[in-house]
Amino acid sequence: MNIPKRCDVVVIGGGPAGSTVGTLLSQSGYEVVLFDKTRHPRYTVGESLIPHFWKYCEAINVADKIAADGFIEKSGGTVIWNGVIRQMQFKDFGYPRPALHVERDRFDWILLEHARESGVRVFEEVAAVHVNLDHGEKVSVVCRPNGEKTSDEIACRFIVDASGQHAVIARQLGIRAIDDGFRFMSIWGYFNNSKYIAADGRAYPFEKRRQIPPTTFVTNVDDWGWLWHIPQRESTSVGLVLPQQQMKAIKGSDEALEAYFLRRCSEIPYLNRLLEDAEYCTESFHVIRDYSYRPTQLAGPGFFLTGDAAAFTDPIFSIGVVLAMYSAYLSAWAIDRSFKQLRRTADNQAIFARQFMTRLEASRALALPRYGYGGDEGEMVKNSIQFETSLEQELMYVVSTLTTRSDNFVEMCRNKEGGMITSSKYRKLEEIVF
Amino acid sequence: MNNVQDQIKNYIVTQFAYDQNALQPDDDLLNQGIVDSIGILQLVTYLEETFSIQIKDEEITPENFRSLSTLNNLVMQKGPVNRFESRR
C-alpha cells in the first residue's frame, strides 16, 4: 500500500461527508488522500434522505449515478404522535427531485467510487489513529492499515474529519460536549413483505412501492422514544429509538434485546398492522448505544470537523446525511479559499464555524425534547431560519408541528418581520386505511 | 454606467440562472430561493474578489444578504469604490 508522504488535504472517513469534501477539492485541483477503516461497500444506518441532498450531489456531479441506481423514492412523511395522524409531502414544498430511502452501503459506495474517479486517493482498511496539529504549521495524520503494527505518517495542510461517530479529532482533543440528558439506544431489524403507508393515508402491499411511493412512517413510543419504518428495495427497515434509562430494565444480551424489539413491534399500533403479513429477517438485528453530542469547536489550526464527527443529535427528522454533506461542502469552500490566501485561514474557519453551527443548532432545536433556547443558541436558530427560503421555512414549521419534540422550535419560527411562519401544507387524518 | 449594484445583479442573474428583467433591487433573494445556502458562499467569494473587500463572518447575515440593495450597502460601507472599473 503506497501511502504518500504528503498531500494537500487528508480526509478521515469515506462516508457521504468524506466523499463530498474529497471530490470537491480534487475537482478543484488539490491532492486529496482519504482514509477509511472499513472496506466499502459497508453497512451503516441512516437510511432516509430528505430531498435537500440532491444539490450536493449535483455540486460533485454524482446526481445522475444516484438517480439511475433505483433507490426507492419516498413522497413524504406520516407521523403518528400521541395518536394524532399527520402527513406531509415534499412536492408541496417545490423540491424538483424526490426524497429517497437508501441502502447506505450502496449509496455511500457510489459516492466513494465517484471520489476515486475524481482523483481522490482512497485507502480503505486504514485507520487514522492520531493527528498532529502543531498550531497549523506541521499538520500530519498518523495512520495504520488494519491488522498492522506499524504506522505511517502523512503530512498535509488541512485535515477534514469525516469519521462519523468515531469522531477521531473531537475525541483526541476533547472538544465534544455530550448531552447527558439525551442518551438513547437504537435497536432495529428488517422485515420482508411489510405493508407501508402512502401519501394518501392508505396502507399498500410492499410490491406497490415503486408505483405508489411510500412515506417514511414515524410514531412515538413511550415518553420521548420513537420508531421508524422505512421501505427499501428488498425489505423494510424498522427501528426503535428509546431512552438508555428505559433499556437498562432489559437484561443486556442481544437476544434479549431482539426479543424485546420484536415484542414491541407486535404491540405498537399501526406498525403491528403494517407487519401483519411480514416476515422478520433473522440475523438482521442491530443495536447502537447512542448519545447526543455537540462540538465545542468546529475548526481549528489545521482541521475541520464535518457531519457526525462534529455533532449528532437524534435522527428523527432524517437530516443527518444532508447536514454532513452541507458541512463537507462548506469545509471545501473554506479550504479552497485558505489555500489561495493562507493568511485568511482563520477568517475562513470562522465563517465555516458560524455557518455550520447555526444550522446544527437549528437541527438540535427541532429534534431534542425540551430544548432550551435562551441566549446565543436561540439567536443562532432564528438566524438560521431567516436564511432559508420561504418554502423551506414552511417545511421547518410543518416538521416542528408533527411531534412534540420541537415545541420550543415553533416559537422561533419567525420571519424577518417578526411574524409567525405558518403553513397549511400538511394533512391531519382520522385513520390510516388498510 | 455599471455601478456596484449592477455588477452584483449581473453576477446573480448569470450564476443563479434568474431572469434579469424580473430581479428588482429590493427583491428578497433568500426568501425567494434565488440564492441558497451554497449560493451565499459563492456570492461572498464573488464580492470579495470583485470589489477587493473582506467580508467577516459576523457580516454574513440574513440582513446583509437579503437583497441587491442590502448587498450594495454592504460593499459600499467597506471603503472607496474608485478602484472599480466599469465593466460591460
Side-chain angles (χ1 to χ4, degrees):
Chain A
M1 163 157 353
N2 305 330
I3 294 175
K5 286 279 167 249
R6 64 174 315 119
C7 66
D8 292 324
V9 179
V10 170
V11 177
I12 304 176
S19 295
T20 298
V21 62
T23 303
L24 283 167
L25 288 171
S26 187
Q27 287 173 347
S28 297
Y30 298 103
E31 287 183 15
V32 182
V33 169
L34 185 153
F35 298 116
D36 190 297
K37 60 191 251 184
T38 66
R39 171 155 292 279
H40 286 250
R42 59 88 184 92
Y43 174 81
T44 190
V45 79
E47 297 156 318
S48 165
L49 303 187
I50 55 177
H52 309 52
F53 80 95
W54 285 110
K55 74 175 154 197
Y56 305 108
C57 288
E58 278 150 19
I60 58 175
N61 300 316
V62 82
D64 289 346
K65 288 182 194 171
I66 298 291
D69 207 68
F71 294 109
I72 296 296
E73 296 178 4
K74 70 170 201 177
S75 51
T78 303
V79 178
I80 303 182
W81 206 269
N82 293 335
V84 179
I85 306 173
R86 292 186 188 91
Q87 293 193 307
M88 52 73 62
Q89 294 189 75
F90 286 111
K91 71 173 169 57
D92 290 341
F93 300 90
Y95 295 101
R97 297 177 98 145
L100 296 182
H101 285 159
V102 299
E103 293 79 5
R104 283 288 300 281
D105 56 353
R106 181 77 190 156
F107 181 82
D108 291 15
W109 185 81
I110 293 173
L111 295 181
L112 189 59
E113 276 302 292
H114 184 71
R116 261 199 188 92
E117 284 162 26
S118 306
V120 177
R121 295 190 61 182
V122 177
F123 294 93
E124 294 178 271
E125 296 179 298
V126 177
V129 297
H130 189 81
V131 303
N132 296 311
L133 297 172
D134 185 39
H135 312 294
E137 294 300 313
K138 282 195 166 72
V139 179
S140 69
V141 177
V142 176
C143 56
R144 188 181 303 144
N146 293 352
E148 291 193 19
K149 292 203 170 47
T150 55
S151 315
D152 284 290
E153 187 169 352
I154 173 168
C156 59
R157 174 61 69 174
F158 296 107
I159 306 168
V160 178
D161 191 351
S163 61
Q165 297 195 5
H166 299 292
V168 171
I169 293 184
R171 280 183 210 257
Q172 180 183 321
L173 301 182
I175 52 177
R176 282 195 313 173
I178 291 170
D179 292 299
D180 267 318
F182 204 67
R183 291 177 183 272
F184 54 95
M185 202 181 240
S186 305
I187 55 178
W188 72 97
Y190 294 81
F191 291 83
N192 287 329
N193 214 34
S194 166
K195 295 195 180 79
Y196 64 88
I197 304 173
D200 59 4
R202 311 180 81 88
Y204 287 93
F206 187 65
E207 55 264 24
K208 293 263 192 228
R209 66 205 177 289
R210 288 198 185 276
Q211 300 147 266
I212 304 170
T215 57
T216 308
F217 170 44
V218 165
T219 184
N220 68 319
V221 177
D222 307 333
D223 180 22
W224 54 256
W226 57 282
L227 147 93
W228 78 72
H229 177 275
I230 295 176
Q232 297 177 308
R233 288 188 255 219
E234 303 292 315
S235 60
T236 300
S237 172
V238 177
L240 288 179
V241 177
L242 290 166
Q244 198 83 272
Q245 280 295 85
Q246 188 176 332
M247 301 309 289
K248 280 191 184 136
I250 297 121
K251 295 288 190 303
S253 77
D254 277 10
E255 286 77 25
L257 284 171
E258 187 180 31
Y260 174 81
F261 168 71
L262 291 171
R263 179 169 64 75
R264 295 303 310 258
C265 285
S266 70
E267 292 168 349
I268 291 169
Y270 295 101
L271 176 70
N272 52 11
R273 293 199 64 189
L274 292 175
L275 295 179
E276 244 163 22
D277 303 318
E279 310 101 47
Y280 173 66
C281 303
T282 53
E283 317 277 308
S284 77
F285 186 64
H286 296 268
V287 180
I288 287 186
R289 282 160 187 79
D290 260 326
Y291 45 86
S292 162
Y293 54 88
R294 42 176 273 279
T296 55
Q297 198 184 334
L298 277 172
F303 76 91
F304 293 78
L305 308 184
T306 62
D308 284 4
F312 183 72
T313 309
D314 176 318
I316 188 169
F317 296 124
S318 305
I319 53 183
V321 169
V322 166
L323 213 41
M325 295 178 90
Y326 166 73
S327 60
Y329 185 96
L330 195 51
S331 71
W333 175 87
I335 288 172
D336 178 43
R337 282 162 61 97
S338 302
F339 269 111
K340 288 170 172 154
Q341 279 194 283
L342 230 48
R343 62 185 172 77
R344 295 216 54 208
T345 301
D347 294 318
N348 295 323
Q349 290 194 315
I351 296 175
F352 169 84
R354 184 186 293 263
Q355 292 299 309
F356 186 16
M357 193 61 102
T358 55
R359 287 172 172 87
L360 261 180
E361 208 56 45
S363 76
R364 286 166 55 81
L366 263 176
L368 282 182
R370 299 178 280 280
Y371 175 84
Y373 62 99
D376 291 342
E377 284 91 28
E379 283 313 302
M380 274 196 233
V381 177
K382 287 175 196 161
N383 249 324
S384 176
I385 293 169
Q386 285 179 20
F387 258 121
E388 299 295 346
T389 68
S390 53
L391 275 180
E392 189 62 34
Q393 288 176 342
E394 281 193 65
L395 175 62
M396 288 172 134
Y397 168 78
V398 166
V399 169
S400 71
T401 60
L402 297 175
T403 73
T404 51
R405 286 291 188 91
S406 327
D407 288 1
N408 291 334
F409 184 92
V410 173
E411 250 317 292
M412 289 184 275
C413 268
R414 294 185 179 275
N415 56 33
K416 60 188 192 290
E417 289 93 12
M420 273 298 292
I421 293 161
T422 59
S423 178
S424 54
K425 293 181 168 75
Y426 64 96
R427 304 193 308 148
K428 204 162 145 189
L429 306 178
E430 288 306 310
E431 56 168 1
I432 301 294
V433 177
F434 278 81
Chain B
M1 182 188 87
N2 278 339
N3 56 20
V4 168
Q5 191 164 296
D6 281 347
Q7 289 181 75
I8 298 174
K9 177 175 175 175
N10 278 335
Y11 174 76
I12 287 178
V13 152
T14 314
Q15 183 73 5
F16 306 115
Y18 198 71
D19 180 1
Q20 161 126 1
N21 299 317
L23 186 54
Q24 300 303 313
D26 291 315
D27 280 353
D28 195 322
L29 302 169
L30 303 174
N31 260 193
Q32 290 174 43
I34 299 167
V35 179
D36 66 6
S37 52
I38 293 186
I40 286 177
L41 302 176
Q42 295 167 337
L43 198 41
V44 166
T45 298
Y46 165 77
L47 294 172
E48 291 189 333
E49 287 176 358
T50 308
F51 304 111
S52 302
I53 54 174
Q54 276 183 212
I55 296 180
K56 296 208 158 331
D57 87 273
E58 62 263 20
E59 291 170 325
I60 304 178
T61 62
E63 294 74 34
N64 284 339
F65 282 73
R66 185 65 65 190
S67 67
L68 289 179
S69 42
T70 61
L71 285 168
N72 181 60
N73 292 342
L74 176 66
V75 172
M76 296 304 271
Q77 88 201 15
K78 282 185 168 293
V81 298
N82 51 14
R83 302 168 59 192
F84 311 143
E85 303 303 327
S86 256
R87 286 193 195 143
R88 292 212 160 274

